[in-house]
């Protein structure tokens, strides 16, 4: 692969290393098990006629296992059962830190790995390496969702899905999602921040719905009121502590709408970095909280983009900046947790397990 090619290129640039090879004893794989027989055939580059003959005993020796599973979750469950049996059978020879599990799509499997291995009757210590910072419930993932929402997809369900992030819920003190969904549905909020009077979309917009909710909390009764030139009927369905939850939710939506509206103007890279940083602080993460690895990553990315300002001085649109920023953020992975203790789950990167 490219990694090995680059390694050898760097080695050969130094004469002392290029001319300093020492021959070491080569140990052939042997042909005791099915795995060893296949390894030996590859090692010796054996032709079809010269390959080791496989017997029924070889196929049943357990050195190679192939399982057909119907879902990713079931794959992880089968792996867990196999590891329990493997560790139990070779208790003196094998420990969790000796096991590396290489996965084709680590971001896709990570939630199932956590679900199975954290709730299993026999607990294995494990780490997940190479996982993208935007793959799970992280600050980066919450930020990604907020940056992708715009005036065109500002729908009720899209906004409510933002609250799947624990960081956003905690930032605004929200906990009762059933109540929030009920209120949004009763307010007939469907899509659009403000809507248009000409096609009546104003009556299914977020601004009109929030006005109905807030009027309903502040006054009782079903009388019609004039709000900003539009008549509306207050939505009187919550009271007491539930009102505080709904008020916090309305504040969240208002802050979100303000952050979307100010994107229309073109800005320099530094100004866009300031904007993204304000989105993080206003909607996701309180900098007074304990500093997290994810937040440190964002700060480093901000510094890199600020350094570009001396080379790129012209103002750019939000769409251009957002596309590049999210591409960079999505390519950042947690490679530092490789082989740090327990079973290591990681991506298929050649030679790394050696």
């Amino acid at each position: 692969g490219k990694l090995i090619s680059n390694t050898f290129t760097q080695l050969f640039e130094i004469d002392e290393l290029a001319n300093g090879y020492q021959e070491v004893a080569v140990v052939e794989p042997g042909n005791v098990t099915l795995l060893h027989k296949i390894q030996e055939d590859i090692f010796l580059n054996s032709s079809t006629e010269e390959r080791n003959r496989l017997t029924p005993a070889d196929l049943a020796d357990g050195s190679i296992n192939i399982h057909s599973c119907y879902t990713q979750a079931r794959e992880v469950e089968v792996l867990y059962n196999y590891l329990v049996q493997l560790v139990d059978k070779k208790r003196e020879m094998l420990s969790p830190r000796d096991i590396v599990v290489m996965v084709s799509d680590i971001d896709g499997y990570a939630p199932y790995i956590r679900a199975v291995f954290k709730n299993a009757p026999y607990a294995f210590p494990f780490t997940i390496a190479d996982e993208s910072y935007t793959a799970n419930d992280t600050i980066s993932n919450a930020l990604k969702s907020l940056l992708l929402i715009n005036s065109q997809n500002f729908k009720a369900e899209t906004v409510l899905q933002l609250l799947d992030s624990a960081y956003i819920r905690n930032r605004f003190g929200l906990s009762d999602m059933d109540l929030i969904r009920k209120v949004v549905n009763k307010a007939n909020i469907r899509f659009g921040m403000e809507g248009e009077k000409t096609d009546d979309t104003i009556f299914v917009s977020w601004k009109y719905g929030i006005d109905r909710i807030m009027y309903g909390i502040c006054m009782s009764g079903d009388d019609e009121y004039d709000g900003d030139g539009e008549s509306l009927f207050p939505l009187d369905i919550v009271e007491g502590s539930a009102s505080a939850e709904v008020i916090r939710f309305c504040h969240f939506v208002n802050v979100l709408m303000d952050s979307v509206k100010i994107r229309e103007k073109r800005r320099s890279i530094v100004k866009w970095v300031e904007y993204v940083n304000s989105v993080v602080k206003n909607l996701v993460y309180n900098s007074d909280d304990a500093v997290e690895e994810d937040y440190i990553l964002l700060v480093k990315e901000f510094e890199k983009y600020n350094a570009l300002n001396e080379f790129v001085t012209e103002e750019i649109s939000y769409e251009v900046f957002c596309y590049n920023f999210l591409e960079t953020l999505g390519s950042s992975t947690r490679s530092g947790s490789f082989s740090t203790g327990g079973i290591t789950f990681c991506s298929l990167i050649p030679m790394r397990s050696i």
Side-chain angles (χ1 to χ4, degrees):
K2 186 176 181 181
L3 178 64
I4 300 173
S5 175
N6 292 339
T7 301
F8 278 103
T9 299
Q10 292 179 3
L11 289 175
F12 290 142
E13 287 176 352
I14 305 174
D15 292 338
E16 291 79 4
L17 291 175
N19 300 319
Y21 286 115
Q22 296 180 354
E23 290 190 9
V24 296
V26 178
V27 180
E28 296 186 12
N31 57 6
V32 179
T33 65
L34 174 62
L35 177 61
H36 286 155
K37 287 184 176 181
I38 294 175
Q39 288 176 331
E40 185 180 53
D41 290 339
I42 296 173
F43 180 82
L44 299 175
N45 196 24
S46 302
S47 63
T48 305
E49 295 75 17
E50 297 172 336
R51 291 177 185 171
N52 289 299
R53 295 293 175 258
L54 305 182
T55 65
D58 293 331
L59 300 177
D61 67 9
S63 58
I64 294 179
N65 285 271
I66 299 175
H67 298 271
S68 178
C69 304
Y70 45 86
T71 63
Q72 291 179 326
R74 184 56 186 159
E75 287 181 48
V76 178
E77 291 172 348
V78 170
L79 170 66
Y80 170 80
N81 293 334
Y82 174 75
L83 292 178
V84 170
Q85 180 263 342
L86 194 65
V87 172
D88 182 65
K89 184 171 67 175
K90 301 180 179 180
R91 185 170 301 171
E92 301 301 325
M93 300 171 58
L94 195 65
S95 68
R97 65 178 299 173
D98 300 319
I99 301 172
V100 173
V101 181
M102 306 190 82
V103 184
S104 58
D105 179 14
I106 192 65
D107 290 336
Y109 280 89
Y112 302 112
I113 293 171
R114 291 191 177 92
V116 172
F117 280 78
K118 285 187 176 181
N119 298 285
Y122 180 85
F124 283 106
F126 71 93
T127 57
I128 302 178
D130 307 321
E131 192 178 8
S132 171
Y133 280 95
T134 60
N136 293 297
D137 190 6
T138 60
I139 296 174
S140 297
N141 193 32
L143 176 61
K144 177 183 177 181
S145 300
L146 290 167
L147 295 181
L148 288 176
I149 196 169
N150 53 54
S151 58
Q152 302 300 318
N153 63 4
F154 209 89
K155 302 175 183 177
E157 187 57 32
T158 305
V159 173
L160 292 174
Q161 284 178 355
L162 293 175
L163 298 180
D164 289 343
S165 169
Y167 287 95
I168 297 177
R169 292 198 307 271
N170 294 338
R171 183 69 181 84
F172 291 88
L174 303 174
S175 58
D176 194 343
M177 289 304 302
D178 290 337
L179 172 65
I180 291 173
R181 285 185 173 275
K182 176 184 175 183
V183 171
V184 169
N185 186 54
K186 289 288 186 180
N188 197 35
I189 298 172
R190 295 295 179 263
F191 62 87
M193 288 187 284
E194 296 182 357
E196 298 290 341
K197 188 182 297 186
T198 55
D199 57 7
D200 290 339
T201 53
I202 186 175
F203 300 110
V204 294
S205 67
W206 276 98
K207 184 179 183 305
Y208 186 83
I210 289 176
D211 286 344
R212 290 188 63 202
I213 294 169
M214 295 305 297
Y215 270 73
I217 292 174
C218 296
M219 2 179 133
S220 60
D222 298 326
D223 296 335
E224 184 177 3
Y225 290 90
D226 287 333
D228 293 334
E230 291 296 331
S231 60
L232 55 84
F233 291 91
L235 188 64
D236 186 12
I237 62 170
V238 292
E239 58 184 19
S241 60
S243 300
E245 178 85 2
V246 174
I247 290 172
R248 289 193 293 269
F249 170 71
C250 292
H251 173 60
F252 157 69
V253 177
N254 282 324
V255 174
L256 177 62
M257 289 194 294
D258 289 341
S259 73
V260 172
K261 290 176 182 177
I262 61 176
R263 296 174 182 170
E264 298 177 0
K265 184 180 177 181
R266 296 169 68 91
R267 310 183 189 197
S268 64
I269 292 179
V270 171
K271 292 298 182 181
W272 281 125
V273 169
E274 292 177 359
Y275 167 77
V276 174
N277 195 24
S278 69
V279 171
V280 174
K281 292 182 178 179
N282 294 335
L283 288 159
V284 183
Y285 180 72
N286 190 344
S287 57
D288 294 334
D289 296 340
V291 178
E292 297 190 19
E293 178 188 7
D294 201 10
Y295 183 71
I296 295 175
L297 168 74
L298 282 176
V299 172
K300 291 180 179 178
E301 292 299 332
F302 293 157
E303 292 173 352
K304 291 178 183 178
Y305 275 92
N306 283 332
L308 293 174
N309 194 58
E310 58 181 290
F311 305 104
V312 183
T313 56
E314 64 267 22
E315 296 181 342
I316 59 176
S317 66
Y318 171 77
E319 289 75 19
V320 171
F321 175 83
C322 182
Y323 176 81
N324 185 272
F325 179 76
L326 293 182
E327 283 286 312
T328 304
L329 200 61
S331 63
S332 303
T333 60
R334 303 176 188 273
S335 57
S337 56
F338 179 79
S339 193
T340 56
I343 299 172
T344 298
F345 293 88
C346 63
S347 296
L348 283 165
I349 299 178
M351 304 293 290
R352 76 178 308 174
S353 59
I354 296 177

